[in-house]
Amino acid sequence: MDLWYLFLAFFIPGIVGYGGGPAIIPLIEIEVVQRYEFMTRQEFGEVLAMGNALPGPIATKMAGYIGFEVAGVLGSLVALAATVIPTLVAMILLLNLLNKFKDSPKVKRMTALIRPTIAVLLAVLAYQFFETSYFDAGIVHTIILVVLSFVFLERLNIHPALVIVGALAYGAIFLS
């Protein structure tokens, strides 16, 4: 039964998620953490951080790891297939239709209206991670990491993967 739930946990976000990995991460979090309880929010945050630090699409990396944790190699394959199938089918079936209407003002407006929804989903996920960090690491460490991450990402233009590795090092040194 875990394999079926694992399939659904990644297939459903793949169908309803629009805009790729960043847009479906909050949807995957709802399925994996809240609905099926395959892992805690903190564990999900750690998987997300590691997935962001590695090259390639985030959703497939997360699916492979979470699937493996839940049901081994077969679980990894099931989760990867569930992540890829919706996009693959959509590309095959809708490619001509999308090409035909890609310049349509209605399609452009629909796309513009989806963006705020995705932003809210990402903001809620960020708030949940901030809340977990606050309770697990304390306010001082959380503020230090937030400020340093902001400075490194926005002011010094350091690559996000290096910021994640730095935060992991900080946690290993000061929170272990």
Side-chain angles (χ1 to χ4, degrees):
M1 200 52 131
D2 275 350
L3 290 175
W4 175 245
Y5 291 147
L6 193 58
F7 180 84
L8 290 176
F10 287 94
F11 186 74
I12 292 170
I15 289 176
V16 299
Y18 176 83
I24 69 170
I25 289 170
L27 303 175
I28 293 172
E29 189 262 343
I30 289 168
E31 298 292 323
V32 169
V33 174
Q34 296 175 20
R35 178 170 293 164
Y36 298 113
E37 298 178 350
F38 291 139
M39 59 182 36
T40 66
R41 183 175 290 142
Q42 179 178 351
E43 291 169 332
F44 185 83
E46 291 169 2
V47 171
L48 177 61
M50 290 304 293
N52 272 321
L54 299 171
I58 183 75
T60 54
K61 291 180 284 191
M62 292 180 71
Y65 179 82
I66 293 168
F68 185 81
E69 286 296 312
V70 171
V73 173
L74 185 58
S76 182
L77 294 173
V78 166
L80 281 167
T83 303
V84 173
I85 287 172
T87 304
L88 185 63
V89 169
M91 284 176 54
I92 291 169
L93 296 178
L94 301 175
L95 187 59
N96 289 332
L97 187 65
L98 289 174
N99 279 334
K100 185 176 180 181
F101 294 107
K102 69 179 178 182
D103 295 325
S104 164
K106 288 182 182 179
V107 171
K108 288 182 179 180
R109 278 195 306 272
M110 284 176 19
T111 302
L113 292 173
I114 290 171
R115 288 185 185 135
T117 305
I118 293 169
V120 169
L121 287 170
L122 290 172
V124 168
L125 186 64
Y127 172 77
Q128 291 171 344
F129 287 152
F130 180 80
E131 183 180 45
T132 302
S133 174
Y134 170 75
F135 288 118
D136 291 345
I139 189 67
V140 173
H141 292 295
T142 300
I143 290 173
I144 290 170
L145 286 170
V146 166
V147 169
L148 287 176
S149 296
F150 178 79
V151 169
F152 290 149
L153 290 168
E154 296 298 321
R155 300 290 184 224
L156 302 176
N157 294 322
I158 294 177
H159 193 278
L162 295 175
V163 176
I164 290 169
V165 169
L168 288 170
Y170 179 92
I173 294 167
F174 295 107
L175 300 175
S176 55

